[in-house]
Amino acid sequence: MKIKEVSEQYDITPDTLRYYERIGLIRNVPRDKNGIRNYSEENCNTIAFIKCMRSGNVSIEGLTEYIELYNQGSRETYEARKAILVRERDLKERMSAMQEALAYLNRKIATYDHWSK
């Protein structure tokens, strides 16, 4: 798939895809004879993984470290990869903070609604 198609399918800008490639998150993107990227199924699977992890607020540094270990392809890196995911997984705390922020915003909006009546 060309970069535009991948961008649309995964709702990621072409610039972000190029950035991910530049920093090594996406590797070995084939190019045609004119140098145009032609993402493989494996590349797309990696992009889907990155998108999922980023939506879970996994840091770029954590992802880079994880993918570096993953690309080593060894069972010896399983524990290290798991440790990265565990370290990056503080969703419960973030969700709680977001719920508190949402409740605060709702109270503020209700105050403005009350004042506008």
Side-chain angles (χ1 to χ4, degrees):
M1 272 197 289
K2 304 294 185 229
I3 196 166
K4 183 177 187 222
E5 297 167 310
V6 172
S7 173
E8 290 171 355
Q9 180 172 336
Y10 293 96
D11 194 29
I12 299 174
T13 68
D15 285 340
T16 300
L17 289 167
R18 288 185 202 98
Y19 170 71
Y20 287 164
E21 189 177 343
R22 191 171 54 252
I23 65 171
L25 288 178
I26 305 170
R27 296 183 178 188
N28 304 318
V29 177
R31 294 178 183 251
D32 67 16
K33 63 182 178 179
N34 297 317
I36 305 295
R37 289 170 176 84
N38 190 13
Y39 291 89
S40 67
E41 183 177 343
E42 182 180 342
N43 297 139
C44 290
N45 290 339
T46 299
I47 292 164
F49 173 76
I50 292 167
K51 180 155 172 106
C52 177
M53 295 295 103
R54 291 296 292 148
S55 69
N57 212 25
V58 172
S59 69
I60 291 293
E61 295 78 15
L63 268 173
T64 302
E65 187 180 357
Y66 180 92
I67 287 180
E68 182 66 36
L69 289 168
Y70 176 82
N71 285 327
Q72 292 176 17
S74 172
R75 283 187 66 81
E76 295 168 7
T77 67
Y78 282 9
E79 287 301 318
R81 285 186 273 162
K82 178 183 174 187
I84 292 166
L85 296 177
V86 168
R87 179 184 75 218
E88 293 283 337
R89 180 195 62 185
D90 59 351
L91 287 177
K92 192 172 184 179
E93 292 171 17
R94 282 185 285 212
M95 287 174 56
S96 176
M98 290 175 73
Q99 287 174 332
E100 288 175 27
L102 179 60
Y104 179 80
L105 288 169
N106 286 337
R107 286 192 305 273
K108 292 298 284 181
I109 291 167
T111 300
Y112 286 115
D113 285 345
H114 177 72
W115 287 347
S116 66
K117 290 182 182 179

